[in-house]
Amino acid sequence: MTDVVVVDYGMGNLRSVAKAIEYVAPRLAVAITSDPGEIARAPRVVFPGQGAMPDCMREMDGRGLREAVISAARDKPFLGICIGLQMLFETSEEGDVPGLALLPGRIRRFPAERMMDTQGARLKVPHMGWNEVNQVRPHALWDGIPQGSRFYFVHSYYADPGAPGLVAGSSVYGVSFACAVARENVFAVQFHPEKSQSAGLRLLSNFVAWQPAVRRAPRSVAAA
């Protein structure tokens, strides 16, 4: 039986995510899959993604994975990575595309007029490279990761959650933005843990050991 599945909808470097999980949990069976049935049977689900959100949503729906992803986010440990975080929200400014609406809020583009560092130098978009993460609140996935640890980012858009309590981590790039969100059995990050050396590997190790205390089915925002 597969212990962890990495959802494959054709967007992102899935092999590097799977290899990082295998590295921290060599006894677990990790599979990359686009099979809704395998996603449904897996005890843990990782939902990564890279590229433009409209393309990601189209590819996910084209492979018939929407309901499998929504169902996985209801009752099992679920980790979203990069676009996998953004797709959980209601809508995105990137193509004005609707997301899965599992979390309230909107995905916004970094505002050009505020892209300046503390010395007044212009910041480039996309935000690409290492940046510090502020752990806004305790969470099992932060266990053993020092406050202010640096993680690797590649993105032009960021989450603006509609409920402040969702924010588990923040970073600053011209503006302060949510880079990690959490609710019940769902944890999602804007950065790439598989590219983030020891801190990222520790987060993945924490995920495969995580046993969420509460597993209620999160309703979509529209149904709430």
Side-chain angles (χ1 to χ4, degrees), residues 137-199:
R137 59 184 172 95
H139 193 280
L141 267 69
W142 294 136
D143 183 56
I145 300 174
Q147 178 68 273
S149 290
R150 295 169 68 84
F151 290 83
Y152 191 81
F153 291 81
V154 183
H155 63 122
S156 299
Y157 293 79
Y158 64 93
D160 182 10
L166 289 174
V167 180
S170 66
S171 193
V172 176
Y173 191 71
V175 296
S176 178
F177 66 94
C179 66
V181 295
R183 186 175 74 178
E184 297 167 356
N185 56 293
V186 173
F187 194 91
V189 295
Q190 182 61 64
F191 51 80
H192 288 270
E194 77 281 7
K195 298 179 180 180
S196 297
Q197 298 181 0
S198 60

Side-chain angles (χ1 to χ4, degrees), residues 45-117:
V45 172
V46 180
F47 184 50
Q50 288 178 266
M53 184 161 155
D55 295 337
C56 290
M57 293 298 298
R58 182 180 63 251
E59 293 298 321
M60 179 191 66
D61 284 338
R63 287 166 168 77
L65 294 175
R66 177 181 288 259
E67 291 307 315
V69 170
I70 291 174
S71 179
R74 290 185 179 131
D75 61 2
K76 60 186 70 177
F78 183 100
L79 176 64
I81 297 174
C82 194
I83 300 296
L85 172 147
Q86 296 183 12
M87 292 167 73
L88 300 179
F89 286 88
E90 295 171 89
T91 187
S92 174
E93 291 181 355
E94 187 174 20
D96 195 28
V97 64
L100 293 171
L102 289 169
L103 301 175
R106 184 175 178 85
I107 304 304
R108 302 189 183 278
R109 183 172 174 84
F110 281 113
E113 68 277 8
R114 297 185 63 184
M115 289 294 97
M116 309 285 274
D117 67 16

Side-chain angles (χ1 to χ4, degrees), residues 3-26 28-33 44-50 78-85 141 152 187 189-197 200-205 207-208:
D3 297 298
V4 183
V5 297
V6 178
V7 179
D8 178 9
Y9 54 97
M11 304 293 291
N13 189 358
L14 309 179
R15 180 63 58 187
S16 65
V17 174
K19 288 296 184 184
I21 297 170
E22 290 172 347
Y23 179 81
V24 300
L28 298 186
V30 181
I32 299 171
T33 185
R44 297 175 187 275
V45 172
V46 180
F47 184 50
Q50 288 178 266
F78 183 100
L79 176 64
I81 297 174
C82 194
I83 300 296
L85 172 147
L141 267 69
Y152 191 81
F187 194 91
V189 295
Q190 182 61 64
F191 51 80
H192 288 270
E194 77 281 7
K195 298 179 180 180
S196 297
Q197 298 181 0
L201 292 175
R202 181 57 188 256
L203 188 142
L204 292 174
S205 178
F207 172 70
V208 299

